[in-house]
Amino acid sequence: MRPTGTTDPALTGLDVSTYTIPTDNSEADGTFAWDATTMVVVRTSAGGCEGLGWTYAPPSCAQLIAGLLAPAVSGRSAWDTGGAAQSMLQAVRNSGRSGLAGYAISAVDCALWDLKARLLHLPLYRLLGAVRDEVDIYGSGGFTTYSRQQLQDQLGGWVHGQHIPRVKIKIGQDRGNAIPQDLERIRQARTVIGDDAELFVDANGAYTAKQAVRVYQAAGDSRLAWFEEPVSSDHLAGLRTVREAIAADVAAGEYGTDLFYFERLCRAEAVDCVQLDVSRCGGITQWLRIAAVVAAHGLQVSGHCAPHLSAHAAAATENFRHLEWFHDHVRIEQTFFDGTLDPTGGAIIPDKHSPGNGLTIRTSDIEKYRVG
């Protein structure tokens, strides 16, 4: 039942706050290094309920939300998530739809869907239309800055401690100029996880297409199952070259922020699995549309990062494969939210009993990291 007095609840508030949280160790991939992660959190209000959404983006994303998106959705019915999404797209027309605007829209859209589900006293994935009760995940980290011991501890903890049957490490060190080190880390990872677990690698666009093919061939004994961004996600011809040359599934798409990019990615036959990030692609509204386009090309989607924001959308997506249990985001979400999920066994189960996404932010714990 809807709470009393919320027949057509209007949005009465949209609050945005920004937090920068240091990493627990030095982190890097093939093309970027970082020592902190910034999370932009959106809270929306209507009918005595609050919805929660977020994205991982620079602090300027919060300014875009407050200046352009909040006025676009203020006063709308909390039921009209589609209309709010359209208004936000119109509001950023002159600022550019792709890039940071996509991240900003995603945070607000996820908060609006969470609010709607809470007003209806429904778990979010039930409101969206559940397809499954469990969402398969893979452990993701293996940063190029990790020592041998750190890599062993992390991968071993996932596979042998939490029984997660698939894990991913970063390669492409020094922008693709340290291939011997990449191959050594791949071999080490296979030794740590054993013969039964699947091994994924992510080059973050560090290689040329032929470099990537040579790396895959040289790592043959390690039986790679997934090669993510062997070249840039924007280099569709290069992705297709790699896809046609190797047996592992080629994946890309994590930076996509509009429907048309994903249609081009699929039409180019550039990937075997499309990566979709609910905190970047336009939120849940656009996630559902993009997943349908991907399905029309006979492909699956894999959720990129922000696992607790993605879990309910994943559970409501028919052509869904798995979700990235990304170390950096998992650490932040488990530290500052109540209601986080357990990956033991290789799958997470969205909360069936709590409304919305089932999460509550611990404001007192995260407040010291507030910026802006």
Side-chain angles (χ1 to χ4, degrees), residues 150-180:
Q150 287 174 312
L151 187 64
Q152 178 176 321
D153 290 346
Q154 186 180 68
L155 299 182
W158 284 327
V159 174
H160 307 303
Q162 294 181 305
H163 305 290
I164 298 172
R166 55 196 80 84
V167 295
K168 185 177 79 180
I169 67 168
K170 301 289 191 181
I171 60 172
Q173 187 172 337
D174 298 334
R175 296 185 177 274
N177 293 309
I179 289 176

Side-chain angles (χ1 to χ4, degrees), residues 49-65:
C49 289
E50 183 177 88
L52 177 67
W54 67 92
T55 187
Y56 293 97
S60 55
C61 182
Q63 298 173 333
L64 196 157
I65 291 170

Side-chain angles (χ1 to χ4, degrees), residues 23 41 52 56 63 67 85 88 92 94 136 211 228 234 244 259 268 273 289 293 324:
T23 57
V41 177
L52 177 67
Y56 293 97
Q63 298 173 333
M88 288 191 287
V92 301
N94 289 345
D136 286 341
Q211 258 189 318
E228 182 176 327
D234 294 322
E244 291 176 342
L259 182 72
C273 189
R289 299 180 71 205
V293 169
E324 184 171 13

Side-chain angles (χ1 to χ4, degrees), residues 27-348:
E27 295 179 358
D29 54 39
T31 56
F32 190 67
W34 62 99
D35 58 12
T37 298
T38 299
M39 180 169 59
V40 178
V41 177
V42 172
R43 299 174 180 87
T44 54
S45 303
C49 289
E50 183 177 88
L52 177 67
W54 67 92
T55 187
Y56 293 97
S60 55
C61 182
Q63 298 173 333
L64 196 157
I65 291 170
L68 293 180
L69 303 187
V73 302
S74 180
R76 280 189 164 272
S77 169
W79 308 135
D80 298 342
T81 47
Q86 185 178 46
S87 291
M88 288 191 287
L89 289 174
Q90 292 169 346
V92 301
R93 192 202 71 174
N94 289 345
S95 304
R97 164 68 183 87
S98 60
L100 196 61
Y103 293 37
I105 290 171
S106 299
V108 177
D109 186 82
C110 287
L112 292 174
W113 274 102
D114 183 46
L115 173 63
K116 185 175 180 178
R118 290 178 194 250
L119 286 165
L120 292 167
H121 291 295
L122 284 173
L124 179 53
Y125 79 116
R126 297 291 190 200
L127 174 62
L128 296 173
V131 175
R132 60 183 60 83
D133 291 325
E134 294 187 355
V135 174
D136 286 341
I137 57 99
Y138 66 89
S140 171
F143 303 111
T144 58
T145 46
Y146 275 6
S147 67
R148 290 181 63 87
Q149 190 62 53
Q150 287 174 312
L151 187 64
Q152 178 176 321
D153 290 346
Q154 186 180 68
L155 299 182
W158 284 327
V159 174
H160 307 303
Q162 294 181 305
H163 305 290
I164 298 172
R166 55 196 80 84
V167 295
K168 185 177 79 180
I169 67 168
K170 301 289 191 181
I171 60 172
Q173 187 172 337
D174 298 334
R175 296 185 177 274
N177 293 309
I179 289 176
Q181 291 94 315
D182 291 339
L183 293 172
E184 173 57 30
R185 294 177 72 255
I186 291 170
R187 286 190 289 268
Q188 181 194 355
R190 173 51 72 189
T191 299
V192 170
I193 67 176
D195 292 333
D196 296 331
E198 290 186 291
L199 179 57
F200 299 175
V201 293
D202 180 1
N204 289 97
Y207 298 131
T208 66
K210 288 195 173 181
Q211 258 189 318
V213 173
R214 291 193 291 269
V215 168
Y216 174 80
Q217 292 171 340
D221 290 344
S222 296
R223 304 189 320 279
L224 301 179
W226 169 278
F227 202 152
E228 182 176 327
E229 278 201 311
V231 301
S232 167
S233 281
D234 294 322
H235 186 8
L236 303 188
L239 288 169
R240 181 170 178 172
T241 295
V242 179
R243 178 177 180 246
E244 291 176 342
I246 70 174
D249 281 352
V250 170
E254 65 190 63
Y255 299 108
T257 55
D258 67 81
L259 182 72
F260 304 105
Y261 164 79
F262 289 98
E263 198 282 326
R264 292 193 299 272
L265 180 68
C266 294
R267 179 161 35 89
E269 299 182 350
V271 294
D272 298 287
C273 189
V274 174
Q275 290 184 282
L276 191 51
D277 190 325
V278 77
S279 75
R280 294 174 174 174
C281 73
I284 291 171
T285 299
Q286 298 301 326
W287 167 295
L288 297 173
R289 299 180 71 205
I290 294 164
V293 169
V294 173
H297 286 270
L299 298 174
Q300 292 178 306
V301 297
S302 175
H304 174 264
C305 290
H308 290 92
L309 193 68
S310 310
H312 287 260
T317 302
E318 182 179 357
N319 58 321
F320 189 80
R321 184 182 297 191
H322 45 45
L323 175 60
E324 184 171 13
W325 192 251
F326 181 56
H327 168 74
D328 198 24
H329 294 177
V330 168
R331 181 181 62 88
I332 291 170
E333 292 164 12
Q334 289 182 335
T335 301
F336 299 115
F337 293 108
D338 289 325
T340 55
L341 306 173
D342 181 2
T344 301
I348 53 177

